[in-house]
Amino acid sequence: MKGFPAVLENISDLSLIQIKALLSLTSDYKKKDKDLVESFYTGFRTPVIATSFLENSTRTKHSFAIAIQKLGGMYIDFNADTSSLKKGETLEETLLTLHHQGVDCCIIRTSVSNELAQFKENPPLKIINGGDGSNQHPTQALLDLFTMIGDLGDLNGKTMAIIGDCVHSRVTHSLVELLPQFGMKLILCGPEGYIPNSSESDSITHTDNRDEAIKQSDCIYLLRIQKERHQGTEDKHFATYHEKFGVSLDTLGKLDKEVFVYHPGPANIGVEISEDLIHSPLYRGYKQVENSTYMRMAIITAILTNRNISSQLELNGDDAKIKTGPKAL
Ligand code: NCD
């Protein structure tokens, strides 16, 4: 895909045209999916793609692993816990090492917000942000967008309440950058300390009233409390959270709202969501998981097949002159 960034860190790295192209490619992959591995890559060799998850993950890492293998790429699970990162090596050194081993792209999850920005100027290899601290989770937001369009059609003029720990949620930070581009209005809802201080806009409003937020919404997005990112002060809400901000079939029934409920997972049943809601047809979390593979196939394809980007590192390297075929990087 033309001009696709070599480092996909934020939603703002992508143009609206690129986002729409990703949606269309995701849809193609979803239609074409067979259990057979199909090689997508028309270049001169099979791409080698690694995941390096420095924070826990079930959904994101596995869906990338499946996406890579469905595309016919070679998948390397780079285990950070047993790597030289534990011996004090910097992330940059590690990535340069992976590059020289022939890895074309690395999907990185880190607990450090903005850690990947340092690689944008001169990327050691292609990088996809698999979630960085509380900063961004662009691939999750993109697969959410794809799922919502599939469920609701045109999002223009529709409203979604994001209920939960918005301030610590990298998913929210990406959704806030992405969904208003499709005309969606967002209501960020949660107790004090869970909603960003940043100013509201035409597209984004804040409230601490769950029922009011749901009443105004065409769909809702629930978030777990990101306990691992709290400094202690926000913990006072845990005990009363379900009653005030949790959502169940009863909550929706009383408000006469039969709306789709999204969740990036992992869900904490009995806290932000009830058992009956998560097992009801209104819950779209499993659809998000299903679509995640196709969106990640599209993102990997886009980042690898961009012939416009050539790494400075490759061009400056000793072997630059003898490379003739299309470059993976
Ligand atoms: C999210 C994450 O890691 O940011 N999960 C995910 O990637 N599916 C949300 C979360 O951890 O709460």
Side-chain angles (χ1 to χ4, degrees):
M1 193 181 294
K2 252 185 153 190
F4 202 85
V7 177
L8 174 58
E9 185 202 17
N10 299 311
I11 287 295
S12 58
D13 294 328
L14 300 175
S15 67
L16 189 54
I17 291 172
Q18 288 169 335
I19 294 168
K20 287 184 178 168
L22 285 176
L23 291 171
S24 150
L25 192 52
T26 304
S27 174
D28 287 352
Y29 278 135
K30 192 169 176 176
K31 277 190 216 123
K32 274 197 254 168
D33 187 33
K34 312 171 192 105
D35 285 325
L36 294 170
V37 170
E38 235 180 46
S39 186
F40 80 104
Y41 196 67
T42 51
F44 64 111
R45 64 172 171 78
T46 304
V48 183
I49 305 164
T51 55
S52 174
F53 275 55
L54 312 171
E55 243 193 19
N56 297 343
S57 169
T58 306
R59 291 160 189 76
T60 307
K61 182 173 160 182
H62 291 146
S63 96
F64 268 115
I66 292 164
I68 293 161
Q69 289 170 84
K70 283 198 177 198
L71 288 169
M74 191 186 292
Y75 172 55
I76 310 292
D77 178 9
F78 175 77
N79 186 340
D81 278 340
T82 54
S83 75
S84 292
L85 282 168
K86 289 277 170 194
K87 297 182 188 170
E89 185 169 83
T90 62
L91 184 56
E92 184 180 16
E93 275 307 311
T94 303
L95 293 177
L96 281 166
T97 303
L98 290 178
H99 164 70
H100 285 286
Q101 286 169 338
V103 175
D104 299 298
C105 176
C106 188
I107 297 116
I108 303 176
R109 172 167 287 190
T110 165
S111 56
V112 183
S113 294
N114 305 102
E115 193 177 16
L116 307 180
Q118 62 181 306
F119 303 121
K120 280 184 161 167
E121 191 132 321
N122 192 11
L125 74 183
K126 300 285 177 81
I127 295 173
I128 299 172
N129 183 359
D132 65 316
S134 55
N135 181 41
Q136 284 269 323
H137 196 347
T139 67
Q140 178 70 43
L142 288 162
L143 72 92
D144 293 339
L145 170 68
F146 181 81
T147 308
M148 287 166 199
I149 292 174
D151 287 344
L152 306 170
D154 187 0
L155 300 182
N156 193 25
K158 299 222 162 65
T159 299
M160 180 169 83
I162 304 182
I163 307 175
D165 189 0
C166 299
V167 80
H168 298 102
S169 163
R170 53 195 174 206
V171 178
T172 302
H173 298 142
S174 291
L175 289 173
V176 158
E177 285 188 2
L178 181 64
L179 297 178
Q181 295 191 53
F182 288 78
M184 203 175 209
K185 294 195 187 312
L186 300 174
I187 305 173
L188 306 189
C189 174
E192 185 205 341
Y194 285 35
I195 299 298
N197 292 326
S198 55
S199 55
E200 301 174 60
S201 67
D202 285 350
S203 312
I204 299 157
T205 53
H206 300 167
T207 180
D208 60 2
N209 187 325
R210 174 198 60 192
D211 291 355
E212 279 309 312
I214 295 175
K215 270 191 220 162
Q216 292 174 47
S217 295
D218 300 290
C219 60
I220 58 181
Y221 198 103
L222 300 179
L223 299 167
R224 80 183 167 92
I225 301 170
Q226 306 261 318
K227 286 190 183 175
E228 71 276 26
R229 299 189 214 289
H230 286 203
Q231 308 302 320
T233 46
E234 300 89 346
D235 297 5
K236 62 183 180 204
H237 302 297
F238 290 167
T240 54
Y241 190 85
H242 186 66
E243 190 196 321
K244 290 193 179 156
F245 293 96
V247 180
S248 64
L249 283 180
D250 188 49
T251 322
L252 297 179
K254 280 184 178 147
L255 297 167
D256 202 16
K257 283 296 242 186
E258 214 172 278
V259 291
F260 284 133
V261 175
Y262 300 95
H263 197 308
N268 287 173
I269 295 175
V271 187
E272 73 273 13
I273 190 163
S274 68
E275 176 111 44
D276 62 357
L277 178 54
I278 208 168
H279 293 133
S280 82
L282 294 179
Y283 180 68
R284 302 303 281 160
Y286 300 117
K287 184 54 78 180
Q288 289 165 273
V289 170
E290 183 190 322
N291 289 335
S292 70
T293 306
Y294 304 114
M295 175 50 83
R296 287 173 173 138
M297 287 168 79
I299 293 167
I300 292 166
T301 305
I303 205 164
L304 284 182
T305 56
N306 180 0
R307 303 283 195 274
N308 276 4
I309 300 167
S310 54
S311 147
Q312 279 309 112
L313 205 119
E314 280 289 319
L315 293 174
N316 296 339
D318 290 344
D319 57 355
K321 291 183 201 81
I322 54 168
K323 285 210 166 199
T324 49
K327 288 158 75 73
L329 272 165

